[in-house]
Amino acid sequence: MHERASTYFRGLQDRICAALESADGTARFREDTWTRPGGGGGRSRVIENGAVFEKGGVNFSEVFGSFTPEFAKQMPGDGLAFTAVGVSLVLHPRSPLVPTVHANFRYLTHGAKAWFGGGGDLTPYYPFKEDVIHFHRVWKKVCDAHATVADHAKMKKECDDYFHLKHRNEARGVGGIFFDYLDATDAAFAFVQAAGDAFLDAYLPVVERRKALNYSPEQRFFQEYRRGRYVEFNLVYDRGTVFGLKTDGRTESILMSLPPVVRYIYDYRPAPGSPEAELTEHWLKPKDWAAMEG
């Protein structure tokens, strides 16, 4: 299973990068290959200063070695030996009208235990209802086609629960799907492949609809402020960040998910009734988006 997953994830990285370069139109991914001292390595691909993507990364990693005894107790499985292979991506568009997106798909083993994890979620700043509905419907369609292993309602709720900043009692974005510790069966692998293949279908139509729209300096300001929530989540809660740092991964690759420009403003409060206030008051409240009419 490890070899099958590795081959698939490498190809997925290639396909996603090619499609994103085409959508951007000007920028190209820079690739760094790296080796992990404890075993394995990866290919980090970063796109910067493009017409659409201000910064983004699509990383492939394949690592192995031994957990520390303390960290091993926090993971399913037994012993200290582990393997991990997967693709992780985050894209921060320049326009505040194009949402940030995150996705990752991974296969891990720890002793006798093997599982898949991953998902995809959307973080808009000025949401459009049809975009949010489209994103959720793509993931629901994938889950419904693999219903023996993928319960869409459960994975959507896990996404809403996971991408939640507890210290602010606030969602990071409008969700998607999230799953972890999915037993590594052939049926689960088929679902993971279908989900990985669906990422571009979920995200690129949103990019194409919004990338040419004009935006104001005030909207850009709000985007930079809201990016701070992304920083907080990734540094405090994100399992991938914790796993990478706890297993001596490549720091530059792990932290490529952070946005390039962020504002931290003391006690910022958007004007009541404004689109900025509507983001947290309406859009960041979990809803059954896939069932809505666009």
Side-chain angles (χ1 to χ4, degrees):
M1 182 64 80
H2 180 96
E3 291 304 319
R4 293 163 62 195
S6 177
T7 298
Y8 170 72
F9 291 138
R10 286 177 182 273
L12 181 64
Q13 183 194 35
D14 291 341
R15 294 192 300 275
I16 289 175
C17 288
L20 293 175
E21 287 182 347
S22 178
D24 187 274
T26 61
R28 295 292 180 264
F29 279 91
R30 162 191 169 182
E31 178 177 287
D32 291 328
T33 59
W34 52 274
T35 300
R36 176 178 171 272
R43 305 187 304 195
S44 295
R45 294 180 181 170
V46 174
I47 191 168
E48 293 182 295
N49 301 316
V52 175
F53 300 113
E54 187 173 14
K55 182 188 175 190
V58 183
N59 290 345
F60 167 84
S61 63
E62 184 173 18
V63 299
F64 57 89
S66 297
F67 290 142
T68 65
E70 178 186 7
F71 190 55
K73 293 176 183 177
Q74 302 173 35
M75 304 294 287
D78 55 272
L80 300 180
F82 79 91
T83 69
V85 60
V87 165
S88 179
L89 68 90
V90 176
L91 299 165
H92 293 288
R94 185 178 305 279
S95 168
L97 305 182
V98 183
T100 288
V101 72
H102 159 260
N104 74 85
F105 303 97
R106 57 191 181 272
Y107 171 74
L108 294 94
T109 69
H110 176 206
K113 177 73 173 175
W115 69 93
F116 287 103
D121 64 283
L122 197 68
T123 303
Y125 307 97
Y126 290 89
F128 295 82
K129 186 178 180 182
E130 66 177 306
D131 297 345
V132 178
I133 291 173
H134 166 80
F135 189 81
H136 281 271
R137 283 183 176 174
V138 169
W139 298 120
K140 185 176 189 304
K141 183 178 180 181
V142 173
C143 290
D144 290 350
H146 298 267
T148 58
V149 294
D151 181 333
H152 175 259
K154 180 175 182 289
M155 291 183 175
K156 179 190 180 300
K157 184 178 186 305
E158 288 187 4
C159 189
D160 291 334
D161 291 345
Y162 177 64
F163 292 104
H164 186 83
L165 288 87
K166 299 178 183 65
H167 59 285
R168 294 188 183 274
N169 192 27
E170 180 181 290
R172 186 175 82 174
V174 296
I177 61 169
F178 178 80
F179 58 97
D180 211 353
Y181 310 126
L182 185 64
D183 287 342
T185 63
D186 285 338
F189 185 37
F191 161 66
V192 169
Q193 291 175 89
D197 292 345
F199 167 74
L200 292 171
D201 296 333
Y203 186 57
L204 282 189
V206 176
V207 173
E208 293 301 327
R209 283 196 290 262
R210 309 303 167 197
K211 68 181 184 180
L213 297 180
N214 293 324
Y215 58 88
S216 68
E218 292 77 16
Q219 288 173 319
R220 172 69 176 178
F221 176 96
F222 183 68
Q223 175 205 42
E224 293 172 354
Y225 161 72
R226 285 297 307 181
R227 281 175 170 178
R229 301 298 201 265
Y230 219 89
V231 173
E232 291 176 23
F233 183 88
N234 279 31
L235 295 183
V236 177
Y237 300 115
D238 189 84
R239 293 181 190 175
T241 301
V242 172
F243 182 89
L245 296 176
K246 290 283 189 180
T247 57
D248 297 322
R250 182 174 184 257
T251 301
E252 284 298 310
S253 299
I254 296 165
L255 298 183
M256 67 85 197
S257 60
L258 301 181
V261 180
V262 183
R263 291 180 187 266
Y264 268 90
I265 304 164
Y266 179 74
D267 200 26
Y268 171 84
R269 298 176 187 270
S274 65
E276 292 79 11
E278 188 181 56
L279 178 70
T280 52
E281 294 169 3
H282 172 73
W283 293 98
L284 300 187
K285 307 295 185 184
K287 298 173 176 63
D288 187 2
W289 296 107
M292 292 185 183
E293 293 298 324

